[in-house]
Each structure stands twice: as structure tokens, then as C-alpha cells.
């Protein structure tokens, strides 16, 4: 019986530390400013990216990894007889999942690839990938791990606050939240993901109030599942203090040994959301 | 005069309307607060004028039929709280006279006044004494007593008038806020004007009446308001109005038939005289159908598209801008395309000021009815708005305490399900819109929006129209005053200073956003200065300044 490997993409915003600790392999998407193309995390860092985003007038774009990129990764990490769980960005937002599915059919050797649509992004995807990796480290068998992964995909709740809807709109990722565009007031919407697509959750005036509301949502979540354990992750785009506010609320509801996976939103997601984003991902097990 | 006939009753009503019209400014001035939006007199007068206008459609021969038209006219023309209560007064009055044919006795009139009083009390949820309700009740009691003593029609009306006078003088003793402000109740004063008019109409010699009422033709009728037609292309562009004179007209059937041929359908009247109002693409078909039911008269057809040309061109630009944005949204066109299908819930908001109107539209309001502080929209204006919205159910945001009542009346007058979120200010309306979800059921939306009302505090900065004392504050005419949640809290000489002082009393440690909406009479530069001062003073709050464009109020501010 071969080994089980976990692969995800750079849309997961997993930190280097977590990737190494949980042995998660990351295939980068590329981000393009004008004619300059960079591999996320390899050729451009998070801080370089936001500095560039601020400086450049032109909106950057992202490009999914090619099937060949995935084939290269799969063949590099796995031996014949091994299995790969490849977890990716919501197929409604990116073609990355499709690329991985294609790659899985292109392998010559006897490597089994289970491609999973996380229906999420950023640390939501990160959390799904971590669930798989933690299952591998705990010595669970493939079916158990896939069941855990499916549970994470199905149960994951996402709430995120953006400074502006501009980036989501310009990059065509605004989904059902398009109705919020064009409001004249300084509205900080709390957004969510519904079936892998951006959707409005609540409209709130002012960021402080929006963050306060997210903290309330954390408490409401625990009230809803008083007997269950909560798994959670947070990510932010150049907003560590604001993320810390949410982390504080999370700390109160998590089990003692529970970990909040923290991630910085990198170029792959940052292109579509801009700076100032705080995102919460949680589900009950 | 032992009994009165239809002609006399009509004269009484016409003189009452004229008297109220003449006295309306006096009534307006009786506002408890010295703010420049006192409009009780205007609202009552417009309501009564709309009511007596309907009398032309009725025959003088039968009192029961005459008053039925009076009641309908006042119901549709009702504006503001006082106007709505007045319409209920006439509704009760008509009920009391429903069975009366050619002549009404003193007993009949007493019964009508009692019925009128009872209907007004039933119309308000928490009747307050010392208001026009008391005036109506005391007048009816006096009328009843007179009738029991065997007084004739004239005696009963005289008794009602004296009762009303006495009751009005007593209102400050019943309602402390009136005493403090040194005024009698405005609505009560308006009602007294009507009783005075009744008496004058009854006692004036016929030749004098003729002169008097001829003058009345000069009375200004409701000014034409800018009806802003929202939504998709204006298909039903012909506003078509006429009256059917016939036998056995089935108004229900007419309404059902017309409903399929246009919108904003109003069919009122009885089997002999029916008034029809419809917005349709094919006025000819409507006339042909109704022409088969009887004789058509007072036919008026207007092309609303041409009337609204200016607004329409503005709207067209707006839409082009919007679609340009949509084209940028690659990948999700389906989410951005506007559909012609009726949405689950639409919203009608009453707003004064073009800036605030734009803000409400940008938040998803389908139809903005202009009005509020200076001009309360009539129930009919709101009915038209609700009917124009392409949605299965409609929420109304009155955004003014004096419009809430009229909005609630709409529920009974339209077929769509209507919910009223009792917003008392524009900031409350904006706060409510934060919770609006177009696809959720009406009751869920109303509940969520109502729960938001406590999240925002509203302040208003205006000027005093007369000297008065409010609590510890001595206020001189033209002083700048600041109202927190509708109560005078600050007096000063400069709008910016008053705004700062007022906000001091409103901001606390939980506050996160301060919004300033400046009015049409305030310079943007001043508003910016205020915004900077507030930014400095409250570093923990986000301060936002917008052009509200509202009349009379230098600033409307909110804290949440």
C-alpha cells in the first residue's frame, strides 16, 4: 500500500510553516502585472505584491497552473502505487480545479489522484488541505480522509470583509454580490461563499462595525453547535490587527488544543480582493 | 333650519374646505416644535380639497351617496398623520349618513358626528387626548346632546361647533407638550376650522355663498410633483383617467379587467358613477371597453413619457453607466443582468432631497417618492408608487413620523402585499436598507429592517420659526436648533457649532460611524469643515459627509 500525498494550490494562502509541518505541496498560480508574470510565492512575495498593487495603475490578473504543471508536481512527489489528494480553489472562481482534473488523466505511471473542489478559497481551501494532511499524519486510511475532507467542504462557513468591492468586480469574481456595487455610501459588506461563489451576507456601514459583527458571528456559531468542536482558520490582507480581533473571539470558543490556522492573503487571492480583507472560515465537527 | 338637503351639505363642505385653506398657515404655525416643517394645516387642507373635489362627481339629491364620494376622496387624498385621521373622520361621517336620502335631520347629523369621532379613535393605535381626536369627540357629544334635546339640524351643528371650540381651548390642559410650547393642538385647530366652515356654509345667505364659493376656484390645488418613474422601460406610458356614468357598473369586474391592461389601476365609485385611473400602453382599448359600460366623461389622457422626458434622459444615462460596469464583470454576466421578472420584494421610500434620493436608489430602493419634511405625500401618491414597482410585495419606508400613518393606509388600497417599516428619519431608512434582501420574503425583510432601527441615532439641525421655551432652553426666532431623535437638545447661532454640540450628546464609546448629510441651503465647504472637525474630535469613528440636498435642514446627522 502506497503513501498518501496532499497537493493544493497557491490560492490556499497556507504559510510556509504550515506547509512544511503538515507536508502539503503547493502548485503556484501565476500573477501578471502588464507583461510581467510571476509565480505566486516563488517569484513574488506577499509584501512585494501589495506594494506593486498599490503602485501600478493597471489591474493585475491571475492565471491557473497548466495541466503540465500539475503532472510535474504529481510525478515529482509520488511513486507508483501512491495516492494524491489534490484540493483546489472553487471551480466557480478558477480553472485550477479543471487543470488538476485534466492532469490526473495524463499520468503514465500508476498514481491515483483524487481531485477535490474545495468550493472555497484562501484559508478555507487551506483548511480543507490541512484536514487531508492531518488525516495522513494521523494514519487514517484514504476513505476516512476523503470523508473528513468532504465534511470540511460541505460544512465550511465563510465570512469576509473587504475594503472595497472594486477588485472583485473588475476581476469578475463578484458573483451574487454584484447588487452591492454602486452604493454611494461607505458600505463594508460582509461577504460569504455560497456553493463556491461570492455572495452578499450583510451590508454594514463602517469597517469597525463590520468586524464587530464578524466577532458576533463567531459567538453565534458556537451557540448553534454547543456540543461540537470548532475548526477554524483566518486570513487577512495587510490587516494583522484586524485579524487579531477575530482571533481573540475565536480563542474563546475553540477547544483548548484547537489551532486557528492563520494565513496572509497572497497574490492569487489578493488580485481579486485587494488589501484590507479579513476572512473567517469555520465549521463544526 | 330643521333639516338639511344635499345642496346645503355640499355648501357646508365647500365652505369648510375654503375656511381651512385660508387658515392653514395659522394651523401650520401651531407646531409643538418651532421647526419649519409644520404642515398640519397644509396636510388637512389638501386632504379636504381632494375630498370635496370628488363631490362634483356625486349627485346632490342623495346625501348618502354624496358623503360616500366625500369619504373616498379624502381617503385617496390623505396626506400626513392629520390628513389620514381627517379622512377617517369623513369615513365615519359618511357611514353615519349612509342610509340618509334627500334630507338629514339633527338626529342624523349627530349620529354622523358620533360615528366620525369613533372612526378617528379606532384609526390610531394609541389615542391621545388633547388632540384632534378630543375635538372630534367633544363636538360629537355636544351634537348628540343637542339632538336628544330635540334640536334641529342647525341646532346640532351649532352645538358641535361650540363643543369643538371648547375642546380645542382645553387641549393644552390635556397635553403638557402643548402647554409648554404655548399652543393649542394643530389638528384640533384644523378640525375646528371645518366645523366653523359647516356653520358658515349653513348660515350664509345663498347669494353671498355664490360669491364666496366663486372665489374658492382660485384655491391652489395640489402642485404637480415630479413623479419619477423607476424600473424598466415605461411601457404603460399613457396615464388615462375618466368617469363612467352608467347603470349597474360592477367596479370589481372593471378593476379586474383593467388590471390586465396596465398598472396603477384605481377604480372607485359605485354602480352609477365610477372613476377610473390607469397607466396603459393602449388607452383606446380601455376607453372602448369602458365605453360599453356607460357614458364616459372627463376623459384625460397624458403621455407620462414626454412629461418625464428630463428625468428619463437622466435615467438613460444612468443605465448606460451601469451596463458599462457590467461589461467589465467577465465570467458572471448572469448575476449582473437586470431582469424584467417581478422581484419578490420591492421598496418605496419617501425622501426629501436629491442627494438622499440618489443614496436610497443606490441602496436598491425601486421608487423614491419626493417629500417628507415639507410636503407629505398623499396616500394616493404612495399607492401609485407601490403599484409602479415591479415586485410581488412592497416595503414602504416613510422616513418621517408624519408619513408612517399614510403609508399604513396603503395596505388596504392595493392588491400587493405591503409592509411598512416605521422609519422616522432618512438615517433610519438607510439603516433599514442595510438589511434588505430582495429575494427574501416580505415578513423576513420587515422584521430584519425593523430590528435595525435601534442601531442608529438621528440628529437634525434647522432653525427656529418662532421663540419658545423647550425644557431649560430659551429659543429665539431664527436661532439654530439641534434635535436629537426629534427632541430639541441644542440651541446656537451657527449650524456647524450646533452640529458639533448635538453630536457630543449622541456619540458614545460604542459609536463607529458618524454620517453627515448636508442640506440644499448649506455649502459643501462648510460641511467639509464640519467633517474635518468631527474626524479630529472622534478618532475612533469613521466620519462620512454626503450631499443630502434636503430642504430646511442644514444637516441631518446620524451615529451608529
Amino acid at each position: 500500500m502506497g503513501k498518501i500525498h496532499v497537493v493544493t494550490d497557491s490560492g490556499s494562502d497556507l504559510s510556509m510553516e504550515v506547509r512544511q509541518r503538515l507536508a502539503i505541496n503547493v502548485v503556484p498560480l501565476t500573477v501578471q502585472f502588464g507583461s510581467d508574470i510571476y509565480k505566486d510565492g516563488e517569484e513574488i512575495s506577499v509584501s512585494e505584491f501589495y506594494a506593486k498593487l498599490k503602485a501600478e495603475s493597471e489591474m493585475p490578473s491571475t492565471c491557473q497552473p497548466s495541466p503540465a504543471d500539475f503532472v510535474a508536481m504529481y510525478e515529482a512527489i509520488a511513486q507508483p502505487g501512491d495516492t494524491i489528494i489534490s484540493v483546489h480553489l472553487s471551480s466557480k472562481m478558477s480553472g485550477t480545479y479543471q487543470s488538476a482534473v485534466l492532469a490526473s488523466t495524463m499520468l503514465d505511471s500508476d498514481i491515483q489522484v483524487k481531485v477535490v473542489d474545495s468550493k472555497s478559497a484562501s484559508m478555507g481551501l487551506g483548511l480543507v488541505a490541512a484536514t487531508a494532511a492531518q488525516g495522513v499524519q494521523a494514519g487514517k486510511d484514504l476513505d476516512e480522509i476523503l470523508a473528513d475532507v468532504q465534511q470540511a467542504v460541505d460544512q465550511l462557513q465563510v465570512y469576509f470583509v473587504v475594503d472595497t468591492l472594486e477588485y472583485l468586480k473588475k476581476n469578475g469574481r463578484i458573483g451574487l454580490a454584484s447588487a452591492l456595487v454602486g452604493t454611494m455610501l461607505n458600505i463594508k459588506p460582509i461577504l460569504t461563499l455560497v456553493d463556491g461563489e461570492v455572495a452578499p451576507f450583510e451590508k454594514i456601514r463602517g469597517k469597525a462595525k463590520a468586524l464587530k459583527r464578524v466577532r458576533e458571528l463567531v459567538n453565534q456559531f458556537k451557540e448553534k453547535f454547543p456540543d461540537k468542536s470548532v475548526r477554524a482558520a483566518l486570513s487577512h490582507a495587510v490587516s494583522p490587527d484586524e485579524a487579531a480581533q477575530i482571533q481573540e473571539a475565536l480563542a474563546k470558543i475553540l477547544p483548548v488544543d484547537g489551532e486557528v490556522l492563520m494565513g496572509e492573503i497572497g497574490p492569487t487571492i489578493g488580485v481579486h480582493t485587494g488589501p484590507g480583507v479579513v476572512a473567517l472560515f469555520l465549521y463544526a465537527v | 333650519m330643521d333639516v338639511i338637503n344635499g345642496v346645503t351639505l355640499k355648501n357646508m363642505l365647500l365652505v369648510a374646505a375654503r375656511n381651512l385653506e385660508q387658515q392653514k398657515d395659522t394651523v401650520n404655525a401651531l407646531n409643538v416644535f418651532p421647526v419649519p416643517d409644520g404642515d398640519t394645516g397644509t396636510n388637512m387642507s389638501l386632504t379636504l380639497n381632494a375630498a370635496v373635489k370628488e363631490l362634483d362627481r356625486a349627485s346632490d339629491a342623495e346625501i348618502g351617496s354624496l358623503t360616500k364620494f366625500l369619504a373616498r376622496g379624502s381617503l385617496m387624498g390623505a396626506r400626513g398623520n392629520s390628513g389620514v385621521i381627517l379622512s377617517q373622520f369623513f369615513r365615519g361621517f359618511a357611514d353615519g349618513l349612509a342610509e340618509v336620502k334627500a334630507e338629514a335631520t339633527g338626529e342624523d347629523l349627530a349620529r354622523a358626528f358620533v360615528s366620525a369621532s369613533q372612526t378617528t379613535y379606532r384609526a390610531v393605535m394609541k389615542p391621545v387626548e388633547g388632540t384632534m381626536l378630543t375635538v372630534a369627540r367633544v363636538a360629537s357629544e355636544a351634537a348628540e346632546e343637542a339632538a336628544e334635546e330635540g334640536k334641529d339640524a342647525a341646532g346640532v351643528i351649532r352645538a358641535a361647533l361650540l363643543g369643538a371650540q371648547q375642546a380645542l381651548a382645553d387641549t393644552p390642559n390635556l397635553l403638557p407638550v402643548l402647554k409648554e410650547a404655548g399652543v393649542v393642538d394643530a389638528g384640533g385647530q384644523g378640525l375646528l376650522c371645518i366645523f366653523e366652515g359647516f356653520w358658515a356654509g349653513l348660515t350664509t345667505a345663498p347669494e353671498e355663498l355664490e360669491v364666496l364659493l366663486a372665489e374658492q376656484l382660485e384655491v391652489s390645488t395640489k402642485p404637480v410633483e415630479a413623479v419619477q418613474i423607476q424600473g424598466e422601460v415605461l411601457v404603460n406610458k399613457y396615464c388615462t383617467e375618466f368617469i363612467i356614468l352608467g347603470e349597474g357598473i360592477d367596479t370589481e369586474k372593471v378593476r379586474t379587467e383593467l388590471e390586465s391592461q396596465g398598472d396603477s389601476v384605481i377604480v372607485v365609485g359605485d354602480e352609477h358613477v365610477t372613476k377610473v385611473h390607469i397607466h396603459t400602453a393602449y388607452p383606446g382599448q380601455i376607453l372602448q371597453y369602458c365605453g360599453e359600460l356607460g357614458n364616459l366623461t372627463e376623459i384625460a389622457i397624458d403621455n407620462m413619457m414626454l412629461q418625464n422626458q428630463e428625468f428619463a434622459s437622466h435615467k438613460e444615462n444612468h443605465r448606460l453607466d451601469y451596463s458599462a460596469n457590467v461589461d467589465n464583470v467577465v465570467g458572471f454576466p448572469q448575476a449582473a443582468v437586470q431582469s424584467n421578472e417581478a422581484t419578490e420584494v420591492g421598496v418605496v421610500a419617501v425622501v426629501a432631497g436629491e442627494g438622499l434620493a440618489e443614496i436610497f436608489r443606490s441602496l436598491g430602493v425601486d421608487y423614491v417618492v419626493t417629500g417628507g419634511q415639507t410636503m407629505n405625500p398623499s396616500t394616493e401618491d404612495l399607492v401609485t408608487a407601490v403599484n409602479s414597482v415591479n415586485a410581488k410585495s412592497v416595503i414602504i419606508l416613510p422616513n418621517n413620523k408624519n408619513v408612517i400613518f399614510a403609508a399604513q393606509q396603503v395596505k388596504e388600497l392595493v392588491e400587493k402585499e405591503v409592509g411598512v417599516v416605521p422609519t422616522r428619519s432618512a438615517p433610519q431608512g438607510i439603516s433599514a436598507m442595510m438589511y434588505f434582501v430582495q429575494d427574501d420574503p416580505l415578513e423576513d425583510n420587515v422584521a430584519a429592517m425593523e430590528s435595525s432601527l435601534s442601531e442608529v441615532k438621528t440628529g437634525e439641525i434647522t432653525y427656529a420659526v418662532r421663540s419658545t421655551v423647550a425644557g431649560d432652553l430659551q429659543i429665539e426666532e431664527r436661532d439654530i436648533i439641534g434635535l436629537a431623535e426629534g427632541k430639541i437638545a441644542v440651541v446656537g447661532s451657527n449650524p456647524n457649532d450646533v452640529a458639533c454640540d448635538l453630536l457630543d450628546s449622541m456619540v458614545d464609546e460604542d459609536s463607529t460611524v458618524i454620517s453627515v448629510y448636508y442640506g440644499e441651503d448649506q455649502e459643501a465647504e462648510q460641511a467639509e469643515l464640519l467633517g474635518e472637525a468631527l474626524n479630529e474630535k472622534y478618532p475612533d469613528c469613521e466620519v462620512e459627509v454626503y450631499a443630502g440636498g434636503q430642504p430646511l435642514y442644514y444637516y441631518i446627522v446620524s451615529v451608529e
Side-chain angles (χ1 to χ4, degrees):
Chain A
M1 170 102 183
K3 283 167 66 175
I4 302 174
H5 306 270
V6 177
V7 171
T8 185
D9 56 70
S10 60
S12 63
D13 290 331
L14 287 166
S15 68
M16 245 350 138
E17 185 273 323
V18 174
R19 295 182 194 187
Q20 282 164 6
R21 174 154 57 91
L22 299 179
I24 298 172
N25 304 283
V26 176
V27 178
L29 278 80
T30 52
V31 50
Q32 183 169 356
F33 282 93
S35 57
D36 301 331
I37 301 174
Y38 307 90
K39 278 189 176 170
D40 183 354
E42 295 177 13
E43 293 163 0
I44 187 167
S45 72
V46 174
S47 54
E48 282 164 358
F49 166 73
Y50 286 107
K52 225 170 158 48
L53 189 67
K54 208 172 164 185
E56 305 266 332
S57 59
E58 205 178 329
M59 211 36 124
S61 59
T62 52
C63 185
Q64 69 213 45
S66 68
D69 294 334
F70 278 108
V71 169
M73 170 63 88
Y74 295 156
E75 287 182 339
I77 61 171
Q79 302 298 315
D82 285 357
T83 304
I84 294 170
I85 300 174
S86 200
V87 198
H88 298 288
L89 277 171
S90 166
S91 60
K92 290 257 176 76
M93 300 180 198
S94 166
T96 307
Y97 169 80
Q98 201 50 45
S99 255
V101 169
L102 271 175
S104 73
T105 66
M106 289 160 62
L107 294 177
D108 296 333
S109 49
D110 180 22
I111 298 169
Q112 189 191 8
V113 184
K114 298 280 183 192
V115 185
V116 178
D117 179 354
S118 74
K119 298 192 174 175
S120 195
S122 187
M123 285 303 288
L125 167 58
L127 195 57
V128 178
T131 302
Q134 283 160 339
V136 173
Q137 290 191 336
K140 293 185 178 180
D141 68 27
L142 182 65
D143 287 346
E144 279 180 281
I145 295 170
L146 288 176
D148 287 351
V149 164
Q150 198 54 48
Q151 183 190 30
V153 170
D154 291 344
Q155 304 292 325
L156 196 64
Q157 301 288 312
V158 182
Y159 303 104
F160 63 111
V161 180
V162 296
D163 260 4
T164 164
L165 292 164
E166 271 314 278
Y167 294 91
L168 281 169
K169 191 184 88 180
K170 291 228 170 102
N171 286 291
R173 299 304 195 281
I174 195 151
L176 302 167
S178 64
L180 299 178
V181 174
T183 54
M184 295 178 62
L185 302 175
N186 172 30
I187 290 176
K188 299 296 173 198
I190 297 182
L191 301 171
T192 185
L193 296 178
V194 173
D195 201 24
E197 209 178 330
V198 176
F201 180 71
E202 272 176 18
K203 287 166 275 185
I204 300 211
R205 294 192 61 191
K207 198 164 188 190
K209 202 171 169 191
L211 291 170
K212 192 167 147 190
R213 178 71 181 127
V214 174
R215 294 200 297 276
E216 266 172 40
L217 289 169
V218 168
N219 295 329
Q220 282 174 11
F221 190 81
K222 185 62 189 172
E223 279 161 25
K224 206 168 151 195
F225 302 103
D227 307 322
K228 291 194 170 182
S229 170
V230 176
R231 282 175 61 81
L234 277 171
S235 58
H236 68 88
V238 247
S239 309
D241 296 344
E242 291 168 339
Q245 287 180 25
I246 313 292
Q247 193 179 16
E248 213 172 283
L250 275 173
K252 292 186 188 137
I253 69 154
L254 288 177
V256 182
D257 59 343
E259 180 190 9
V260 182
L261 287 179
M262 291 284 282
E264 276 187 273
I265 295 177
T268 300
I269 302 298
V271 162
H272 302 106
T273 52
V277 181
V278 179
L280 165 69
F281 308 87
L282 73 179
Y283 71 103
V285 287
Chain B
M1 200 178 286
D2 292 350
V3 290
I4 59 167
N5 60 21
V7 176
T8 309
L9 180 61
K10 193 170 167 184
N11 284 337
M12 284 163 59
L13 288 161
L14 290 173
V15 176
R18 183 176 181 279
N19 190 44
L20 184 56
E21 172 84 33
Q22 279 181 335
Q23 305 284 325
K24 69 177 180 194
D25 290 336
T26 316
V27 177
N28 285 343
L30 293 173
N31 211 344
V32 170
F33 296 130
V35 293
D37 62 356
D39 51 7
T40 303
T42 307
N43 283 335
M44 290 179 79
S45 176
L46 287 168
T47 305
L48 184 52
N49 280 341
V52 296
K53 227 173 146 196
E54 285 294 304
L55 295 179
D56 294 342
R57 317 211 188 294
S59 132
D60 297 341
E62 198 172 297
I63 286 183
S65 138
L66 194 69
T67 50
K68 209 190 281 176
F69 272 85
L70 174 78
R72 273 187 206 129
S74 66
L75 209 61
M76 294 310 280
R79 276 170 203 272
N81 292 346
S82 51
V84 172
I85 294 173
L86 186 62
S87 73
Q88 298 298 318
F89 178 90
F90 284 122
R91 190 171 140 190
F93 187 73
D95 283 349
L97 293 173
E99 303 301 323
V100 176
K101 304 289 180 207
E103 292 173 331
T105 63
E107 246 173 72
D108 291 332
L109 289 167
R111 188 178 61 243
F113 286 133
V114 169
S115 166
S117 160
Q118 286 167 348
T119 319
T120 56
Y121 271 83
R122 275 199 300 271
V124 291
M125 264 185 291
K126 283 186 230 150
V128 175
E129 292 300 338
T131 61
M132 67 189 283
L133 297 184
T134 312
V135 175
R137 180 175 52 78
V138 175
S140 77
E141 286 165 1
E144 204 175 22
E145 208 175 302
E148 276 165 13
E149 286 169 8
K151 296 265 169 67
D152 62 5
V156 166
I157 288 168
R158 173 139 186 87
L161 169 62
L162 294 174
Q165 277 172 344
Q166 192 195 338
L168 179 68
D170 201 33
T171 53
N173 298 324
L174 294 170
L175 206 52
V177 288
L178 297 175
K179 193 160 222 168
E180 197 180 320
V183 294
V184 292
D185 180 68
Q189 177 74 65
L191 196 55
L192 178 60
C193 290
I194 292 170
F195 279 110
E196 285 170 355
F198 284 171
W199 181 245
L202 190 67
T203 53
T204 309
E207 55 277 10
E208 282 178 49
L209 257 185
E210 212 170 304
V211 177
L212 197 71
L213 293 176
E215 281 171 25
Q216 202 212 349
L217 292 176
E218 303 298 320
V219 164
S220 66
T221 47
K222 174 188 158 191
V224 181
E225 282 179 57
V227 177
Q228 297 166 352
I229 291 156
Q230 295 275 302
E232 287 304 303
V233 181
L234 191 55
V235 178
N236 295 320
K237 61 184 175 186
Y238 293 106
C239 173
T240 308
E241 277 186 291
F242 53 88
I243 289 165
I244 316 170
L245 302 172
E247 295 293 333
I249 302 167
D250 183 345
T251 51
E252 268 315 309
K253 202 176 149 218
V254 174
R255 184 177 304 122
T256 315
E257 173 65 27
L258 295 190
E259 219 96 60
S260 63
Q261 302 195 36
D263 56 31
S264 302
V265 175
I266 299 170
V267 179
V268 289
D270 54 32
E271 55 179 327
H272 303 295
V273 184
T274 301
K275 181 184 173 184
V276 173
H277 170 277
I278 184 174
H279 295 170
T280 180
Y282 307 105
Q285 287 180 11
I286 307 287
L287 293 177
Q288 188 171 7
Y289 169 76
C290 292
E292 284 165 13
L293 303 174
N295 284 310
L296 302 185
T297 175
E298 295 200 47
I299 301 166
I301 300 170
D302 286 316
N303 186 329
M304 298 183 292
M305 191 118 105
L306 298 178
Q307 283 171 359
N308 283 279
Q309 211 162 31
E310 204 183 319
F311 177 72
S313 71
H314 169 77
K315 186 179 127 197
E316 203 54 46
N317 292 336
H318 187 74
R319 283 175 45 167
L320 286 176
D321 285 347
Y322 185 66
S323 22
N325 287 339
V326 168
D327 287 343
N328 285 337
V329 186
V330 251
F332 291 90
Q334 75 279 14
V337 167
Q338 292 201 317
S339 94
N340 284 320
E341 266 175 51
T343 55
E344 188 64 37
V345 188
V347 185
V348 167
V350 180
V351 185
E354 194 39 49
L356 281 167
E358 264 307 310
I359 288 172
F360 273 93
R361 284 188 204 111
S362 82
L363 291 172
V365 166
D366 300 278
Y367 196 114
V368 170
V369 177
T370 306
Q373 275 143 348
T374 41
M375 183 62 153
N376 294 150
S378 69
T379 301
E380 189 173 13
D381 294 338
L382 295 172
V383 165
T384 307
V386 166
N387 283 331
S388 310
V389 173
N390 190 18
K392 291 176 203 154
S393 56
V394 176
I395 290 170
I396 305 178
L397 300 177
N399 294 339
N400 185 303
K401 66 177 190 306
N402 210 16
V403 180
I404 296 173
F405 208 0
Q408 276 157 351
Q409 304 299 310
V410 175
K411 290 181 189 174
E412 294 170 21
L413 298 169
V414 298
E415 282 183 12
K416 285 178 188 167
E417 209 187 333
V418 171
V420 176
V421 180
T423 53
R424 300 165 71 89
S425 65
Q428 279 197 338
I430 289 168
S431 196
M433 281 312 289
M434 295 295 141
Y435 289 86
F436 174 64
V437 181
Q438 193 174 291
D439 301 325
D440 279 3
L442 180 76
E443 53 274 23
D444 292 7
N445 267 304
V446 170
M449 290 165 91
E450 274 184 5
S451 73
S452 78
L453 300 186
S454 58
E455 286 179 13
V456 62
K457 289 180 267 191
T458 303
E460 294 153 311
I461 289 95
T462 183
Y463 58 90
V465 289
R466 64 177 156 78
S467 303
T468 188
V469 177
D472 302 337
L473 300 170
Q474 175 64 46
I475 298 162
E476 303 300 331
E477 195 177 330
R478 308 304 298 180
D479 273 356
I480 307 298
I481 50 179
L483 297 91
E485 304 288 15
K487 297 208 167 55
I488 299 177
V490 181
V491 184
S493 54
N494 168 311
N496 277 20
D497 293 346
V498 170
C500 275
D501 289 350
L502 184 66
L503 280 163
D504 240 358
S505 70
M506 294 167 66
V507 176
D508 62 29
E509 56 192 18
D510 293 332
S511 306
T512 54
V513 181
I514 299 172
S515 310
V516 173
Y517 308 93
Y518 60 93
E520 63 179 0
D521 299 326
Q522 187 66 339
E523 286 165 15
E525 207 176 302
Q526 284 297 318
E528 287 307 324
L529 284 175
L530 175 63
E532 284 165 25
L534 294 173
N535 247 325
E536 206 163 298
K537 201 164 167 190
Y538 306 107
D540 293 340
C541 289
E542 293 173 46
V543 178
E544 300 171 17
V545 178
Y546 301 100
Q550 70 274 10
L552 301 176
Y553 287 76
Y554 300 108
Y555 294 114
I556 294 174
V557 297
S558 71
V559 176
E560 49 203 295

